[in-house]
Amino acid sequence: MSAQSTPEPAPEPAVTAASAPLPTLEVTIDARGATAPKPVNLPLRQRPFDIAFAVIFLLFTVTSGISDLVPTIGIPITADSTNGLAQSNYWYGHDADPLFIDPPIWMRFVTGLSAFVYGPFYLLLAFCLLTGRNWIQLPAVIYASAISMITGVVVFGVEFFGEPEFQTQNPVKFLAFNLPYVIIPILLLIRMRKPLPFTRKW
């Protein structure tokens, strides 16, 4: 009787590089290394408030040169003055703004600030508003805060509650000429409340 032979197991197929399973890769993207897209300014036609501001501040440049320069450099503001600017200032101020007609030294500092600092700044501000220069945001906030405090608190306070010789006798006329110098800077302050103001309409 012959011994039964045990069948040998079939050899396992060779594993080649082509048939080997590929390892699973996990890719993690670190968002901290990504570059955020740079905000884009809106076109001027989509920023109508900035156009209005620019026009107003260009007008402020003219009034600063006409009105505030006269008392700053000491030109007498009288009814019989031969200076045309002094005459126009007298027409405005003889009943509405006695503080402006005969200014004490501190008031001449206020008018000088308007004539020699605010005036040139208005030109720069109008240019930046029209061309979308976002760096003007902080200087605009500083300007708006300063003029609102000086005009709205100090000058208005003297004109309405100060010495009798400096109080306005025509408050309607006084406010018609001076209130825009408080309201417009406050609106500008709101407009410039955040960085990159020209990337939004308001």
Side-chain angles (χ1 to χ4, degrees):
M1 182 175 182
S2 62
Q4 295 180 350
S5 59
T6 304
E8 296 182 359
E12 295 182 359
V15 179
T16 63
S19 61
L22 296 176
T24 302
L25 298 178
E26 292 184 1
V27 179
T28 303
I29 300 176
D30 188 357
R32 292 174 297 178
T35 302
K38 184 179 180 181
V40 178
N41 287 352
L42 295 177
L44 181 60
R45 64 180 179 274
Q46 296 183 20
R47 297 185 282 111
F49 291 107
D50 293 336
I51 298 175
F53 276 129
V55 172
I56 292 171
F57 285 117
L58 288 175
L59 293 175
F60 281 5
T61 304
V62 176
T63 58
S64 293
I66 292 176
S67 298
D68 294 323
L69 183 63
V70 172
T72 299
I73 62 180
I75 297 176
I77 303 175
T78 59
D80 57 354
S81 174
T82 58
N83 186 297
L85 296 180
Q87 287 182 352
S88 65
N89 284 355
Y90 181 82
W91 169 85
Y92 150 70
H94 74 279
D95 60 341
D97 199 343
L99 181 64
F100 182 76
I101 295 295
D102 188 19
I105 187 64
W106 68 265
M107 184 61 182
R108 291 179 66 181
F109 277 105
V110 173
T111 57
L113 188 65
S114 176
F116 295 109
V117 178
Y118 295 158
F121 180 74
Y122 293 147
L123 293 175
L124 176 63
L125 181 58
F127 170 78
C128 291
L129 286 164
L130 295 175
T131 57
R133 312 290 172 151
N134 283 296
W135 58 263
I136 200 65
Q137 184 254 347
L138 181 57
V141 168
I142 295 173
Y143 150 76
S145 302
I147 195 172
S148 300
M149 181 65 65
I150 293 173
T151 303
V153 177
V154 178
V155 176
F156 278 38
V158 174
E159 293 278 359
F160 287 97
F161 308 106
E163 296 87 341
E165 64 269 24
F166 291 138
Q167 289 187 20
T168 178
Q169 302 302 310
N170 192 337
V172 174
K173 185 178 179 182
F174 173 81
L175 291 174
F177 278 86
N178 291 279
L179 201 56
Y181 291 92
V182 177
I183 294 177
I184 297 300
I186 290 176
L187 292 176
L188 179 68
L189 188 61
I190 298 172
R191 173 73 179 92
M192 298 289 171
R193 66 195 179 277
K194 295 179 182 179
L196 303 177
F198 305 118
T199 61
R200 57 183 186 272
K201 291 184 178 180
W202 177 251

